[in-house]
């Protein structure tokens, strides 16, 4: 899915992002025909031969050592998440084993846990970003126009990436849609590197690339970031604006499942809005146009 071609694309985008002066390379006034660093310049900075680096960028070297990959990561000034992604792309055989085609399920313990979190929006996602379970408040916050029971039916299970890029509701829900789009693609890139042989994940990426021009443009930039915590802004159709902190917690003993939970600052307007949403039965009214019909065949406007 993301290798070997994905490895070359990733390295080229990172080379192009570095200016020679950023890393102490002297150009001596020569006209540069490529953006960023040349291959030979990066090879020099990493302490490897140009021929070896070229083979790696072309996906022809599957046995790169940790030391070589670490040196290239330092030369490219990769973040920790990007460094991990580089290793996954360079050595796909060592990435996570192929995920089974059968649908994932959330364990009874974690389902019970999120059900008990009645004042906190919480949901369980698999590594493909399929919603395996959510509590009423998470459903009301993120996708109240969908059937609450959909996660329990694999053939109808919502996928947060698909909803974000293809459902017009997302453009209404996220006032900082561009920021959230970059965050979503960054997390999906990391998951693709961790699960290079997952057919269903590859199909999701292909679908989004074909149906969402904005996704395709962002995907081509190869952003990589785990996005396990931060703040999201919402413009909810029932309770208005909210700024909520989020945490994504990996669930041990699962194939990449995570528990995503949101919280508001005590005493804030966002906390009051969450209480209002809870008091409303955590079931916002369905918007005009119906439920699943909101997910169209082209990118949301």
């Amino acid at each position: 899915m993301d290798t070997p071609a994905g490895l070359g694309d990733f390295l080229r985008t990172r080379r192009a992002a570095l200016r020679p002066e950023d890393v102490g390379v002297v150009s001596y006034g020569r006209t540069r025909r490529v953006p960023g660093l040349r291959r030979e310049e990066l090879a020099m900075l990493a302490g490897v031969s140009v021929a070896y680096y070229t083979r790696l960028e072309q996906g022809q070297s599957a046995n790169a050592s940790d030391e070589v990959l670490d040196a290239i990561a330092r030369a490219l000034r990769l973040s920790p998440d990007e460094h991990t992604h580089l290793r996954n792309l360079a050595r796909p055989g060592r990435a996570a084993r192929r995920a089974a085609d059968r649908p994932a399920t959330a364990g009874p313990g974690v389902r019970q846990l999120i059900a008990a979190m009645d004042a906190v929006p919480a949901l369980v996602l698999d590594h493909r970003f399929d919603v395996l379970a959510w509590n009423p408040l998470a459903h009301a916050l993120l996708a109240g126009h969908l059937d609450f029971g959909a996660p329990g039916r694999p053939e109808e299970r919502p996928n947060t990436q698909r909803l974000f890029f293809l459902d017009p509701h997302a453009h209404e829900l996220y006032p900082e849609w561009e920021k959230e789009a970059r965050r979503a693609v960054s997390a999906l890139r990391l998951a693709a590197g961790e699960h290079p042989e997952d057919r269903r994940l590859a199909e999701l990426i292909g679908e989004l690339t074909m149906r969402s021009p904005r996704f395709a443009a962002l995907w081509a930039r190869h952003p990589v970031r785990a996005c396990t915590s931060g703040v999201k802004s919402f413009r909810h159709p029932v309770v208005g604006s909210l700024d909520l902190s989020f945490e994504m917690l990996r669930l041990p003993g699962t194939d990449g499942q995570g528990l995503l939970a949101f919280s508001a600052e005590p005493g804030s307007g966002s906390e009051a809005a969450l209480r209002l949403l809870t008091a409303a039965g955590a079931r916002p009214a369905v918007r005009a146009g119906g439920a699943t019909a909101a997910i169209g065949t082209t990118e949301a406007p």
Side-chain angles (χ1 to χ4, degrees), residues 13-283:
T13 61
R14 294 309 182 268
R15 269 200 301 118
L18 284 178
R19 298 178 302 174
E21 55 269 29
D22 292 336
V23 292
V25 173
V26 180
S27 298
Y28 297 108
R30 296 166 56 190
T31 301
R32 305 185 67 86
R33 294 186 296 177
V34 296
L37 294 180
R38 300 186 179 96
R39 284 177 177 169
E40 59 268 25
E41 292 168 338
L42 181 59
M44 177 190 69
L45 290 170
V48 300
S49 71
V50 177
Y52 182 85
Y53 176 77
T54 299
R55 290 197 302 273
L56 183 65
E57 193 171 281
Q58 292 175 344
Q60 298 174 0
S61 178
N63 297 309
S65 67
D66 288 344
E67 291 76 14
V68 167
L69 295 176
D70 292 348
I72 291 173
R74 287 193 297 271
L76 289 172
R77 300 188 175 184
L78 300 184
S79 69
D81 289 335
E82 290 172 329
H83 192 168
T84 298
H85 189 62
L86 171 64
R87 288 194 177 194
N88 288 336
L89 293 180
R91 297 182 305 205
R94 301 188 189 183
R97 68 183 184 278
R98 181 173 182 175
D101 284 339
R102 65 179 180 275
T105 57
V110 72
R111 291 201 306 269
Q112 179 176 299
L113 174 63
I114 65 171
M117 300 166 66
D118 55 358
V120 175
L123 62 160
V124 179
L125 303 173
D126 67 8
H127 69 271
R128 304 181 187 103
F129 298 91
D130 285 343
V131 179
L132 306 184
W134 51 18
N135 64 12
L137 194 52
H139 168 249
L141 175 68
L142 301 175
H145 60 300
L146 301 183
D147 180 12
F148 177 74
R153 299 185 293 273
E155 69 281 359
E156 300 177 25
R157 185 168 283 166
N159 178 280
T160 58
Q161 294 276 351
R162 186 179 288 112
L163 287 172
F164 184 84
F165 285 100
L166 302 181
D167 189 338
H169 175 71
H171 285 258
E172 300 172 5
L173 184 63
Y174 297 100
E176 299 177 327
W177 191 90
E178 265 307 311
K179 174 183 175 181
E180 294 301 327
R182 293 191 297 270
R183 181 181 274 167
V185 173
S186 296
L188 188 57
R189 265 288 180 191
L190 193 60
E194 292 174 345
H195 301 272
E197 298 184 11
D198 188 322
R199 178 182 57 83
R200 291 177 57 205
L201 183 57
E203 290 172 351
L204 171 66
I205 293 167
E207 176 190 358
L208 295 176
T209 300
M210 293 296 295
R211 295 172 60 186
S212 170
R214 189 61 191 136
F215 175 88
L218 289 171
W219 186 256
R221 297 180 187 175
H222 285 254
V224 177
R225 186 182 169 199
C227 304
T228 55
S229 63
V231 176
K232 290 180 183 285
S233 296
F234 298 91
R235 186 171 51 232
H236 195 273
V238 173
V239 298
S241 298
L242 305 92
D243 293 313
L244 302 178
S245 300
F246 72 90
E247 295 287 339
M248 171 68 85
L249 308 175
R250 285 283 183 114
L251 298 176
T254 67
D255 187 19
Q257 293 182 21
L259 190 159
L260 176 60
F262 297 88
S263 62
E265 183 178 351
S268 66
S270 296
E271 184 184 49
L274 276 184
R275 287 200 302 268
L276 180 60
L277 194 56
T278 303
R283 292 295 179 91

